[in-house]
Amino acid sequence: MAGVKRQSSSKDRQRSSREQKWQTSPSKNTGGAGKKPLPEPTSVQSVIVMLVMHVCRRIVLFETELKIAVYLGALFFGSLICDFAPIPRSYFSRKSNFLNQYFVKWGWAWTFLSVSVFLALTSWVYCCGNREKVKKHFWRLVIGSLMWFSWTKSFVLFEAYTSTCMSGKYNTKTSCLLAGSYWRGFDISGHAFLLIYCSLLIAEEAKSIRGWERIGDLIRNEEFDDESPLKPLTEVELTHLRDHYFKFTPYVRSTFIWLTLLSIVWDVMLVATIIYFHSMVQKVVGGSIAILTWYFTYKWWFKQPNSPGLPGQGCFKYTELQVQAKKISAFQSFGPQ
């Protein structure tokens, strides 16, 4: 039986090796005419940039399912504790704090504009300048905007429908509060919805950064690899890729770092919301709607044939290669020897 297992393992490794042949073996048709070009020497600045990018990837591309579990746990248990435990007031308990006034209140605008810049830069590269494909990717943000607008308006209508003024004299929340009375109703937490939805959307759209550095290797080795993923590209597409990848990469990195900072701000303000604002049920409902909206769009709708597609899907595959490389590395490290 042991011999059978080793034989099966050997076949799996050979198959994995063939799948990545373009990365590890020279072209069949080079005929000794040349060798693959080596990457440029790495400078100290490049090392620092790559370290920063590695940290940012760890933050933004954190396992989505685990992130959702953390969000739900924090919304339920954190809010439950804060509803009954005496929490001291702080700077973040004031609605006038800087992050709330200039970031959360404009949360969707910040997210939409930041992701739009990142999407424009990356899709223009991996779609090789195909405007129709680039426009198709932007439909995800249009759909996201419609989801955000529809849900936030629904929350307002739901509160108005379920709420009453304790004095019984006023029909609107504004007039009731101005009169010094108490407006009682179920106010679904728009903050919990917005902050979680924005974080999940950034995490999904930023996935096109996976394997981004590998594109440079593909470009350098394309001439020497018969099985390179770039072989199906036309000469015009390949020229566009060569011209724009190295030109846009510094801007892609800068925008990705900004998205990381924005994600951190959303998470910090989510913690403030959990501690100081709304009840546990209101926050759980708002957060759950955000998660269900994310799941419906990115885990189902955008995987359908006539949908806008997922981030990173363009004229050639590069994000899948990163995942395959990790799986093969893990198999070789932990598989039977």
Side-chain angles (χ1 to χ4, degrees):
M1 292 297 291
V4 174
K5 288 184 178 179
R6 281 195 294 269
Q7 184 177 4
S8 176
S9 174
S10 176
K11 289 181 179 179
D12 290 339
R13 292 180 185 177
Q14 290 174 4
R15 188 182 302 111
S16 299
S17 177
R18 286 197 299 271
E19 289 175 354
Q20 286 204 316
K21 184 176 180 181
W22 62 270
Q23 299 179 49
T24 57
S25 61
S27 172
K28 298 175 184 177
N29 298 330
T30 55
K35 296 181 179 179
K36 292 182 182 180
L38 296 174
E40 296 180 1
T42 304
S43 63
V44 175
Q45 181 181 357
S46 298
V47 172
I48 295 174
V49 170
M50 296 311 295
L51 285 174
V52 172
M53 289 295 293
H54 176 73
V55 173
C56 290
R57 283 190 178 95
R58 288 288 186 179
I59 296 172
V60 177
L61 302 181
F62 186 75
E63 192 69 33
T64 310
E65 288 74 13
L66 184 56
K67 179 183 288 189
I68 289 173
V70 172
Y71 282 154
L72 289 176
L75 287 174
F76 183 80
F77 295 106
S79 300
L80 194 62
I81 293 172
C82 294
D83 282 349
F84 295 99
I87 304 297
R89 311 301 289 176
S90 71
Y91 175 74
F92 289 101
S93 65
R94 303 202 306 262
K95 292 184 178 181
S96 60
N97 72 74
F98 178 81
L99 292 179
N100 188 61
Q101 285 290 322
Y102 297 100
F103 279 87
V104 177
K105 285 191 175 181
W106 297 90
W108 184 253
W110 279 111
T111 302
F112 182 87
L113 292 175
S114 301
V115 173
S116 293
V117 173
F118 181 79
L119 179 57
L121 292 170
T122 53
S123 62
W124 189 246
V125 173
Y126 62 70
C127 290
C128 298
N130 187 315
R131 295 180 184 274
E132 293 304 316
K133 289 185 178 181
V134 173
K135 290 178 183 177
K136 190 176 180 181
H137 281 290
F138 270 91
W139 274 106
R140 290 195 303 272
L141 294 186
V142 174
I143 293 170
S145 298
L146 291 175
M147 292 290 183
W148 161 77
F149 181 81
S150 300
W151 280 119
T152 51
K153 289 299 180 184
S154 299
F155 296 164
V156 174
L157 293 175
F158 186 81
E159 182 191 7
Y161 181 77
T162 59
S163 302
T164 56
C165 186
M166 295 300 292
S167 66
K169 298 179 180 179
Y170 306 96
N171 296 323
T172 64
K173 183 177 182 179
T174 303
S175 59
C176 179
L177 296 177
L178 287 175
S181 187
Y182 180 72
W183 184 260
R184 184 177 181 180
F186 192 82
D187 181 16
I188 299 174
S189 178
H191 275 46
F193 166 80
L194 173 70
L195 296 170
I196 291 177
Y197 187 54
C198 287
S199 292
L200 293 177
L201 185 138
I202 289 174
E204 289 294 335
E205 293 298 330
K207 285 182 179 179
S208 58
I209 200 70
R210 284 179 174 168
W212 187 262
E213 311 301 334
R214 193 176 292 269
I215 297 177
D217 296 332
L218 293 176
I219 294 172
R220 280 188 290 267
N221 299 332
E222 185 274 335
E223 184 180 351
F224 302 90
D225 286 309
D226 290 340
E227 299 180 13
S228 168
L230 303 185
K231 285 300 180 182
L233 299 183
T234 65
E235 191 62 34
V236 174
E237 291 173 335
L238 189 58
T239 301
H240 176 94
L241 181 62
R242 287 197 189 104
D243 292 343
H244 290 83
Y245 170 75
F246 296 103
K247 180 181 178 181
F248 280 13
T249 291
Y251 303 105
V252 169
R253 289 171 177 165
S254 300
T255 311
F256 182 71
I257 293 171
W258 167 248
L259 287 176
T260 304
L261 296 175
L262 200 59
S263 294
I264 294 173
V265 171
W266 297 156
D267 286 344
V268 168
M269 294 310 295
L270 179 62
V271 172
T273 300
I274 290 172
I275 296 174
Y276 296 112
F277 305 106
H278 294 279
S279 67
M280 181 270 289
V281 178
Q282 293 169 344
K283 284 175 281 194
V284 169
V285 171
S288 298
I289 291 174
I291 293 168
L292 290 173
T293 303
W294 159 81
Y295 186 87
F296 171 71
T297 52
Y298 283 92
K299 295 301 179 182
W300 183 77
W301 186 358
F302 297 158
K303 292 183 178 181
Q304 303 307 310
N306 295 322
S307 71
L310 293 171
Q313 293 179 347
C315 295
F316 62 97
K317 295 181 179 181
Y318 70 96
T319 55
E320 292 88 344
L321 298 175
Q322 184 79 0
V323 175
Q324 288 177 5
K326 289 182 179 179
K327 288 182 178 179
I328 292 171
S329 176
F331 176 80
Q332 292 176 344
S333 299
F334 301 104
Q337 301 296 323

